[in-house]
Amino acid sequence: MRCRMCKERAVISMRRHNTAFCRLHYREFFFRQVSRAIQEFGMLNPQEGVLVCVSGGKDSLVLWKVLHELGYKTRAMYIDLGFGEYSLLSKQKVFNTAKKLSQEPIVVSLKDMGFDILASAKAKHRPACSVCGTAKRYCFNRTAFEEGLQVVATGHNLDDEASRLLGNVLRWQTHYLAKQSPVLPSESEHTPKKVKPLVKLTEREVAVFAFLEGIDYILEECPYAKGATSITYKLLLAQLEEKMPGTKHAFYLGFQEHLSKFSLAEAPKGELKTCKVCGQDSFEETCGFCRLLGQLSP
Ligand code: Q46
Ligand code: ZN
Ligand code: ZN
């Protein structure tokens, strides 16, 4: 297998693009896909400060490195979820990349905030991931505001977004479909713009890039990810992709052309207020995170 550009030995072949690249040209391809996503969807401009949410996994660490090398003003944030060994190891991976990039990440510890995901999930009879999502969103918004950063970037890739889209379509969750854009505008000074610059790249493509760049990332899944429906959707999409290369791309990125049809179907949210506990945006007197936190207090 030879590189399409220079005929050197290829390190990756991509059936969906019907092409193969050597190490050098794959790097160029990868950066081009990120830059194209940023331009096409109007994600970032060079003046904006970007909070990159890093988990210690390959996607977010790759995103941090690529945005940093593209010259964007990045600051990384790691949220210590308090998941024992898994959290210790993932934090270590973040610091390994931080050292290589000569950047200091912001570390937010839920424990230091008096919050415990598992205790809250048990008290509320909610899945851990649902409580975790609320806590993470709160930390992203609050940290971006406190640090004066206009944008929050996450490492969601094409597989993540296509599987989420499939789940939303299967249940016709139109208010979620309206939010499946790779860029969500800021709603107020407390809520930054949210962007996903890796949406044009598959999980495999990100993994190959991480390997070639020597990025040290956590291989283990979060211990509470087991049984997530998104894994089932990813497997289904992988089977389709195997038979029909390019399906995931056409499904998710093709959907972007129809996105405006779903905006009007968005669930009414009511009036935006200020949380009386923390001062962040909320549609109720107290924001979702402060309500969860309050229920854990003795
Ligand atoms: S939501 Fe769920 Fe993730 Fe939180 S509890 Fe783990 S799997 S980390 S992306
Ligand atoms: Zn080449
Ligand atoms: Zn609050």
Side-chain angles (χ1 to χ4, degrees):
M1 195 174 51
R2 297 275 149 192
C3 171
R4 187 179 84 189
M5 307 294 287
C6 67
K7 310 298 173 219
E8 285 292 317
R9 192 177 66 84
V11 292
I12 183 168
S13 74
M14 287 170 285
R15 284 178 65 208
R16 73 191 182 100
H17 292 292
N18 196 20
T19 195
F21 290 120
C22 69
R23 177 189 277 255
L24 176 75
H25 287 115
Y26 182 58
R27 196 170 200 277
E28 282 183 13
F29 163 85
F30 198 92
F31 273 80
R32 202 162 53 240
Q33 293 298 312
V34 177
S35 295
R36 273 191 192 157
I38 291 172
Q39 301 307 324
E40 213 172 285
F41 297 107
M43 291 182 181
L44 301 172
N45 70 56
Q47 289 78 44
E48 289 173 320
V50 190
L51 185 73
V52 186
C53 303
V54 289
S55 65
K58 63 181 182 320
D59 305 287
S60 56
L61 293 179
V62 162
L63 176 65
W64 186 14
K65 182 177 165 70
V66 171
L67 291 183
H68 177 71
E69 288 196 24
L70 283 171
Y72 289 101
K73 290 187 223 160
T74 59
R75 207 57 228 279
M77 176 184 65
Y78 171 76
I79 305 172
D80 186 338
L81 302 171
F83 291 163
E85 271 296 303
Y86 173 78
S87 288
L88 281 176
L89 194 58
S90 54
K91 184 154 79 177
Q92 188 56 53
K93 304 294 182 189
V94 169
F95 275 87
N96 290 348
T97 294
K99 202 171 165 197
K100 284 191 180 171
L101 300 182
S102 305
Q103 288 215 339
E104 185 70 27
I106 299 165
V107 176
V108 175
S109 159
L110 293 184
K111 194 175 166 207
D112 290 352
M113 293 164 77
F115 193 67
D116 182 324
I117 290 176
L118 300 181
S120 178
K122 196 171 169 203
K124 293 290 292 175
H125 306 289
R126 273 168 61 179
C129 287
S130 151
V131 171
C132 181
T134 302
K136 286 198 286 195
R137 270 192 304 280
Y138 179 81
C139 295
F140 299 162
N141 290 347
R142 187 171 179 153
T143 307
F145 176 71
E146 286 175 353
E147 298 290 326
L149 302 166
Q150 295 80 20
V151 191
V152 164
T154 53
H156 295 92
N157 59 43
L158 180 58
D159 293 71
D160 297 326
E161 292 306 292
S163 68
R164 196 171 138 221
L165 177 60
L166 180 60
N168 288 336
V169 167
L170 288 174
R171 291 192 184 80
W172 287 114
Q173 290 170 306
T174 48
H175 52 294
Y176 289 137
L177 286 174
K179 288 187 165 183
Q180 274 233 251
S181 165
V183 52
L184 291 174
S186 158
E187 288 173 344
S188 77
E189 60 164 342
H190 285 111
T191 50
K193 178 165 68 172
K194 306 223 167 68
V195 302
K196 298 172 180 172
L198 298 186
V199 285
K200 283 180 177 280
L201 293 147
T202 65
E203 197 155 333
R204 171 178 170 261
E205 289 158 9
V206 176
V208 170
F209 182 84
F211 173 76
L212 294 172
E213 294 289 307
I215 294 174
D216 178 27
Y217 62 89
I218 188 161
L219 290 165
E220 290 83 0
E221 284 270 11
C222 164
Y224 305 101
K226 288 188 199 87
T229 45
S230 61
I231 297 173
T232 310
Y233 297 144
K234 278 188 182 175
L235 287 172
L236 283 169
L237 285 166
Q239 285 175 2
L240 283 170
E241 185 74 21
E242 177 65 27
K243 292 212 183 325
M244 295 174 280
T247 301
K248 271 185 288 198
H249 184 109
F251 180 51
Y252 178 68
L253 292 160
F255 169 74
Q256 297 310 314
E257 289 160 28
H258 302 278
L259 194 63
S260 58
K261 293 174 193 157
F262 294 95
S263 303
L264 296 173
E266 208 172 342
K269 290 178 185 167
E271 189 198 340
L272 196 60
K273 301 176 189 149
T274 301
C275 169
K276 65 180 185 199
V277 180
C278 71
Q280 290 289 295
D281 286 351
S282 173
F283 291 104
E284 299 189 36
E285 295 298 313
T286 309
C287 76
F289 181 71
C290 288
R291 288 202 302 275
L292 290 176
L293 197 57
Q295 278 152 352
L296 286 181
S297 303

